[in-house]
Amino acid sequence: MAAITKLISIDRSSPVPLYFQVARQLQELIESGVLRPGARLENEIALAEELGLSRPTMRQAMQHLVDKGLLARRRGVGTQVVNSRVRRPIELTSLHEDLERGGRRPRTEVLSLRTEPADAEVAAALRIEPGTDVLALRRLRHADDEPIALMRNHLPADLVTLDERELGAQGLYRLLRRAGVTPSTADQTIGARRATATEARLLTEARGATLLTAERVSFDTTGRAVEYGSHVYRASVYSFEMTLDAR
């Protein structure tokens, strides 16, 4: 770790707090891959001495990264780097494509794929009559073999033909575009709730852990509703990002 501390520079004349300077630079080393998942860090006393900082300042920097899900403290092991949090921009894209662009390796487990009559919720979202046939798919998405999202989607049954092999290898939006269907706009709601027992088991979280939720209805260029997605994400490793502009 001594070599890592040489990559961290402290500017004592800066108005930025010292702990945050350290935390930000350690985060950059983690996200750039210099510090890889599983790497162990020296204890806070040794790090503080190498950087010329007080122990409370170093402890605050480390806790900042623990709270962000980038470091984990484990009894008998010490402080380790964990897989970096997936940060997803709020855009009309698929999670599969976003992971690829972010340098992560997506893997999809198709839990179910079937045709079924639309219930009231799905029918309202897709602007169709209840009981109309829809494609219903449920998938578990991994990033670098770590489960991050449980995804439930419904599409009009006459829209596209899907099979489990393709869904396991490609993102849904890529398959739609290949079939000539282009999602153009969407209405999306983001929230949070507690995990059910099944969700916690599939996502390797504690029962009752907080999950991020996203419900999206996508429309093609003609205004037809082509997809209704109801997804849950592990809040410990996943976040949404957006840019806000003043009016």
Side-chain angles (χ1 to χ4, degrees), residues 200-218:
R201 175 177 56 81
L202 290 171
L203 294 171
T204 64
E205 288 281 358
R207 184 171 181 174
T210 300
L211 301 178
L212 294 174
T213 66
E215 290 195 357
R216 174 190 286 182
V217 180
S218 301

Side-chain angles (χ1 to χ4, degrees), residues 177-220:
R177 290 194 297 268
R178 183 183 300 172
V181 179
T182 303
S184 178
T185 60
D187 295 328
Q188 180 165 282
T189 302
I190 296 172
R193 62 170 173 78
R194 299 292 183 184
T196 66
T198 298
E199 290 167 343
R201 175 177 56 81
L202 290 171
L203 294 171
T204 64
E205 288 281 358
R207 184 171 181 174
T210 300
L211 301 178
L212 294 174
T213 66
E215 290 195 357
R216 174 190 286 182
V217 180
S218 301
F219 305 89
D220 66 11

